[in-house]
Amino acid sequence: MDIADALITPYWWEDVNAVVSRPQLPGDIDADVVVIGAGFTGLWCAYYLKNLDPNLSIAVVEQRHVGFGASGRNGGWCHAEYPLGHGQLIKDHGHDAALRHMRSLFVSVDDVGRIAADEGIDCDYAKGGVLTVARNKLQASYARDEVAEAESFGLGPHDIRLLEAEEAREMLNATDVVGGVWHAHGAAIHPGKLVHGLAHVVEQLGVTIYEDTEVVELSEGAVRTARGAVNAPMVVVATEGYTSQLPRNARRIVPLYSLMIATEPLPEEVWRDIGLTERQTFSDYRNLIIYGLRTADGRLAFGGRGAPYHWGSSIEDGFDINDRVHSELVRVLLELFPQLSGYDITHRWGGPLGVPRDWRPSVTVDHTKGIAWAGGYVGDGVNTAHLAGQTLAELINGLDTERTTLPWINHTWPRWEPEPFRWIGINAGLALAKSADRTEERTGKHSRKADFGLWLRGRSRRRI
Ligand SMILES: Cc1cc2nc3c(=O)[nH]c(=O)nc-3n(C[C@H](O)[C@H](O)[C@H](O)COP(=O)(O)OP(=O)(O)OC[C@H]3O[C@@H](n4cnc5c(N)ncnc54)[C@H](O)[C@@H]3O)c2cc1C
């Protein structure tokens, strides 16, 4: 297993037209709504706006091409987790509001599958749930804590279930599995097919998408690009990790890179050994997050954090590739599945996700200024962006639904620290999480080093 020959492009871009293929903005135009960013947030928002009011004229402006951002590069987990964890949601907003929010996220996972099927988007959706395996006694205690906490706020075995060693190993035959947790509300998807399929659907509904059109300035009632301006009484900002590149937004949201690899299609006998028969997505309880799934064509797509944060929240195409982190992903993959040693890594890639200072996503509409935005999903944006896009559309239309009073509405983010504190703090947090994993593996005890992340993670206990 070597990364040297792997293609440097997201595997998800293979089967879709992941190049600029739509017109640029042709000059100044007027619209009822302009959406910045053709990822899940922007496209779901456009989809629901058109369904609510087919007469609206909607322009989507995208700096590169549909699915260029995290929506076309992610791990393919369409799941109902929330960046801070459900426990923190309850601490923040009380039991009833938090449970309502969780249930909305659960429903959203099903909605993504249902709408994809109804609209003819073949995105390899498979609702096999999310599996978090425990690979030592300490991780097994984290698994028990997670289920006990979920039960304490009213979730049941249809939502989340503790697994004994045998059942966990049956689902995922990775090394050292001693137990785990199965979360029902999660599906594996092909994100490239979903984002491109959705773009096609909104175009059929009458939305115009302009590619290769970067917004360089936004103000009340207009966005300006190098190719002209879109004048619209409502501007929707759906730029997630890239928001930091917009003027006056450098400290609003941090772009944190997550990196991935994909294997060649694996033979059926390897899958019989590994499991994931329902295409469950999987992870374990280490501090520095890893995530994987079985693709519909039998590859193992695998990712993790650990790529450095770049000074000044900068974003460059070159940051998608990091030999050290990609090699480490291969090492961890082989540690989990030694049976993969003879197989090739065919693709490696990465991209920035968006992290707000307090790790709390937000859906905000300001009717007075005519500006709306949603984001801050950290690594949980595939499903969350669907719920956010739907909610944005309802709020823009002035509707009162079960979603328009969820606790994340109009949440405002504290700003990130200025440099050099931001750079030092985030990179120290990443290094300590990695070091904590080594210590926990060696000693079998919780490492205090992991707790530094509390500062970084808005005081929540989620992994990084
Ligand atoms: C490697 C990786 C793995 C991940 N894995 C998962 C996962 O398995 N499950 C999960 O739930 N989440 C995951 N995430 C996070 C998830 O993908 C994102 O939260 C989600 O896709 C965000 O969608 P979005 O539409 O808000 O943003 P994006 O998809 O990032 O879209 C923003 C778009 O805005 C465009 N844009 C930015 N600035 C401008 C501008 N000035 N002018 C015009 N256009 C602009 C960008 O080009 C981009 O296309 C992962 C992210 C990464 C990077």
Side-chain angles (χ1 to χ4, degrees), residues 215-226:
V215 170
V216 291
E217 184 68 58
L218 59 137
S219 53
E220 287 179 28
V223 302
R224 197 164 57 74
T225 80

Side-chain angles (χ1 to χ4, degrees), residues 193-439:
K193 290 186 189 174
L194 179 59
V195 73
H196 282 269
L198 190 57
H200 185 64
V201 167
V202 300
E203 286 174 319
Q204 299 293 311
L205 293 171
V207 172
T208 310
I209 301 175
Y210 299 102
E211 294 186 328
D212 193 18
T213 302
E214 182 186 4
V215 170
V216 291
E217 184 68 58
L218 59 137
S219 53
E220 287 179 28
V223 302
R224 197 164 57 74
T225 80
R227 315 192 182 288
V230 186
N231 301 301
M234 180 56 73
V235 176
V236 178
V237 184
T239 47
E240 188 60 340
Y242 301 85
T243 308
S244 56
Q245 315 299 295
L246 289 168
R248 299 178 298 283
N249 281 277
R251 289 170 56 194
R252 202 169 145 74
I253 198 158
V254 149
L256 194 65
Y257 276 75
S258 198
L259 268 46
M260 293 197 68
I261 52 177
T263 68
E264 63 180 307
L266 303 169
E268 207 35 56
E269 69 260 24
V270 173
W271 282 118
R272 267 199 298 278
D273 182 19
I274 291 179
L276 299 182
T277 48
E278 309 299 321
R279 295 193 48 226
Q280 301 93 328
T281 60
F282 70 90
S283 182
D284 67 11
Y285 283 94
R286 73 188 70 207
N287 293 293
L288 202 59
I289 284 176
I290 53 154
Y291 48 92
L293 67 65
R294 173 180 181 169
T295 65
D297 69 347
R299 297 165 192 266
L300 208 155
F302 187 69
R305 306 270 168 82
Y309 159 79
H310 300 280
W311 179 272
S313 294
S314 52
I315 294 178
E316 285 176 21
D317 289 351
F319 297 163
D320 296 353
I321 298 298
N322 181 308
D323 287 345
R324 178 184 61 79
V325 179
H326 279 120
S327 300
E328 176 64 7
L329 284 175
V330 174
R331 190 193 67 75
V332 175
L333 185 65
L334 284 175
E335 186 183 280
L336 291 167
F337 307 108
Q339 59 271 57
L340 295 185
S341 65
Y343 296 96
D344 287 339
I345 299 294
T346 55
H347 298 74
R348 59 174 173 140
W349 71 96
L353 43 85
V355 187
R357 182 64 187 91
D358 62 2
W359 283 54
R360 285 154 175 83
S362 173
V363 174
T364 296
V365 176
D366 182 335
H367 282 281
T368 318
K369 293 187 174 152
I371 191 151
W373 66 90
Y377 318 120
V378 191
D380 301 311
V382 171
N383 176 49
T384 319
H386 166 263
L387 181 62
Q390 181 179 19
T391 310
L392 278 175
E394 292 170 345
L395 288 168
I396 289 169
N397 273 279
L399 300 180
D400 184 6
T401 73
E402 65 267 38
R403 286 165 292 276
T404 53
T405 53
L406 290 177
W408 62 351
I409 306 296
N410 294 339
H411 171 69
T412 52
W413 295 319
R415 293 202 302 168
W416 278 92
E417 287 76 0
E419 300 292 18
F421 305 107
R422 193 156 81 233
W423 187 90
I424 294 169
I426 296 171
N427 285 321
L430 290 167
L432 282 169
K434 193 169 166 48
S435 174
D437 281 332
R438 281 195 293 262
T439 307

